[in-house]
């Protein structure tokens, strides 16, 4: 074999070696960028949230769980917290100090743009070439939930306990959280909060303003009307236990006729952990034949008066009881 042939063979082998080395370098760069990059860790974290896998998400985030209710950290409530996240884009890392980087995640929630930045640090290498990254340890944020005159609510689709009307829940971020309360006689409309950063706790409060339902108001109104109609049926000047009455010296027998011409408007409000009714105001009309003590003449009279009373309300086990309170 001639020298020229040997040189060509050697050159070919050298070229192949150089191509192999270049290919290996490219492979390392690609694998580092796609599998071992800090962005990959952030994407894996979002995937865990969307799967409702709280254990995997917590392991990736390496976060401390605060002393709070954990109902939103796994399963369906966790899935619900990220269900509205769309258009997720994980940006390029920004170098911080040392081996730390900050990775921005851009996304929208119900059409509003948000950005959450995650801090990661290099934790070593795999197979000598591939970088390993981990989230810088932090603490999970919390969402505070309060409700008026109740001890439970629905939070991200799951029933949660609110002892003494409030509780604190540990949550992953980012996420959206909604709460409401619904029962037969009391309800609070949906309130929502979006948490994008663990330092945002002060804004992550859900306050439920519970109010009487239309069904409860209708039931109390029915009892108020029944009470007043019962008073009107008493053919006496001073119906017993009733908020309206009249004083006359002498009237013709069987001539007394009461009529409620304006029924009170029922309003029920919370007060000091219970439910109270606003003072009830109405109007009653008395039709009667009065006899003049001096002449004996009988004169038809029509008197109309405004009356006031209050009532105590009890709602237990689906039963509503109104107890009228009349002050004399």
């Amino acid at each position: 074999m001639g020298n020229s042939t040997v040189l060509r063979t050697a050159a070919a082998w050298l070229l192949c070696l150089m191509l192999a080395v270049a290919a290996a370098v490219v492979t390392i760069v690609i694998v580092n960028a796609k599998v071992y990059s800090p962005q990959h860790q952030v994407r894996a974290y979002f995937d865990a949230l969307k799967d409702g896998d709280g254990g995997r998400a917590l392991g990736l985030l390496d976060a401390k769980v605060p002393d709070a209710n954990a109902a939103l950290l796994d399963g369906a409530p966790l899935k619900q917290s990220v269900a509205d996240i769309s258009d997720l884009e994980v940006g390029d890392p920004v170098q911080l100090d040392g081996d730390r980087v900050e990775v921005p995640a851009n996304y929208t929630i119900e059409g509003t743009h948000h950005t959450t930045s995650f801090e990661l640090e290099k934790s070593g290498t795999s197979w000598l070439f591939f970088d390993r990254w981990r989230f810088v340890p932090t603490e999970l944020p919390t969402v505070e939930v309060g409700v008026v005159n109740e001890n439970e609510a629905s939070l991200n689709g799951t029933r949660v306990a609110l002892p003494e009307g409030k509780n604190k829940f540990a949550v992953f971020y980012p996420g959206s959280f909604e709460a409401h309360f619904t029962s037969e006689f009391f309800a609070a409309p949906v309130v929502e909060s979006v948490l994008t950063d663990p330092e945002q706790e002060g804004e992550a409060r859900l306050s439920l303003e519970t109010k009487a339902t239309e069904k409860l108001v209708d039931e109390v109104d029915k009892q108020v009307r029944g009470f007043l109609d019962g008073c009107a049926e008493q053919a006496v000047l001073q119906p017993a236990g009733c908020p309206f009455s009249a004083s006359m010296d002498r009237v013709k027998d069987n001539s007394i006729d009461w009529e409620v011409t304006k029924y009170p408007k029922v309003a029920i409000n919370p007060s000091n952990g219970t439910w109270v009714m606003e003072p009830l105001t109405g109007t009653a009309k008395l039709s009667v034949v009065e006899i003049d003590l001096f002449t004996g003449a009988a004169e038809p009279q029509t008197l109309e008066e405004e009356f006031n009373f209050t009532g105590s309300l009890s709602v237990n086990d689906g039963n509503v009881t109104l107890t009228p309170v009349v002050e004399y």
Side-chain angles (χ1 to χ4, degrees), residues 133-153:
W133 294 88
R134 69 178 183 182
F135 288 87
V136 174
T138 183
E139 183 173 351
L140 293 181
T142 59
V143 171
E144 296 181 13
V145 182
V147 63
V148 173
N149 280 8
E150 298 294 341
N151 56 16
E152 65 176 53

Side-chain angles (χ1 to χ4, degrees), residues 143-186:
V143 171
E144 296 181 13
V145 182
V147 63
V148 173
N149 280 8
E150 298 294 341
N151 56 16
E152 65 176 53
S154 175
L155 179 59
N156 274 28
T158 190
R159 183 176 175 181
V160 295
L162 303 175
E164 298 182 358
K166 59 185 178 180
N167 208 344
K168 183 182 292 187
F169 298 85
V171 298
F172 288 105
Y173 64 95
S176 58
F177 307 93
E178 66 171 40
H180 71 275
F181 177 79
T182 303
S183 70
E184 185 177 17
F185 295 125
F186 302 102

Side-chain angles (χ1 to χ4, degrees), residues 7 33 92 108 119 133 151 173 194 229 233 259 265 293 323:
L7 289 174
D92 295 329
T108 60
E119 193 171 330
W133 294 88
N151 56 16
Y173 64 95
V194 174
D229 289 344
E233 289 174 359
E259 179 187 359
K265 182 179 180 180
L293 292 177
T323 304

Side-chain angles (χ1 to χ4, degrees), residues 115-302:
T115 297
T116 298
S117 294
F118 298 92
E119 193 171 330
L120 294 94
E121 61 186 0
K122 193 178 294 185
S123 61
T125 58
S126 295
W127 304 102
L128 300 178
F129 301 108
F130 305 119
D131 296 330
R132 292 202 307 267
W133 294 88
R134 69 178 183 182
F135 288 87
V136 174
T138 183
E139 183 173 351
L140 293 181
T142 59
V143 171
E144 296 181 13
V145 182
V147 63
V148 173
N149 280 8
E150 298 294 341
N151 56 16
E152 65 176 53
S154 175
L155 179 59
N156 274 28
T158 190
R159 183 176 175 181
V160 295
L162 303 175
E164 298 182 358
K166 59 185 178 180
N167 208 344
K168 183 182 292 187
F169 298 85
V171 298
F172 288 105
Y173 64 95
S176 58
F177 307 93
E178 66 171 40
H180 71 275
F181 177 79
T182 303
S183 70
E184 185 177 17
F185 295 125
F186 302 102
V190 172
V191 291
E192 299 176 286
S193 179
V194 174
L195 190 149
T196 61
D197 187 278
E199 303 299 326
Q200 190 187 334
E201 286 192 42
E203 300 176 25
R205 291 191 178 96
L206 300 173
S207 298
L208 296 172
E209 299 296 330
T210 316
K211 296 181 179 180
T213 63
E214 185 176 341
K215 182 173 182 178
L216 176 59
V217 173
D218 288 346
E219 175 59 30
V220 173
D221 181 73
K222 178 181 176 181
Q223 294 190 29
V224 167
R225 288 172 177 261
F227 164 67
L228 293 176
D229 289 344
C231 288
E233 289 174 359
Q234 299 184 43
V236 294
L237 292 176
Q238 298 180 342
C242 295
F244 49 80
S245 63
S247 296
M248 292 183 177
D249 291 326
R250 185 180 176 188
V251 297
K252 185 177 180 181
D253 292 341
N254 301 323
S255 69
I256 298 173
D257 182 30
W258 285 102
E259 179 187 359
V260 179
T261 54
K262 182 181 178 181
Y263 289 93
K265 182 179 180 180
V266 173
I268 303 169
N269 297 308
S271 176
N272 297 322
T274 187
W275 295 94
V276 297
M277 296 178 58
E278 291 186 2
L280 298 163
T281 300
T283 305
K285 182 176 71 173
L286 171 64
S287 298
V288 65
V289 177
E290 185 177 18
I291 299 176
D292 190 292
L293 292 177
F294 298 101
T295 66
E299 290 287 339
Q301 299 284 351
T302 299

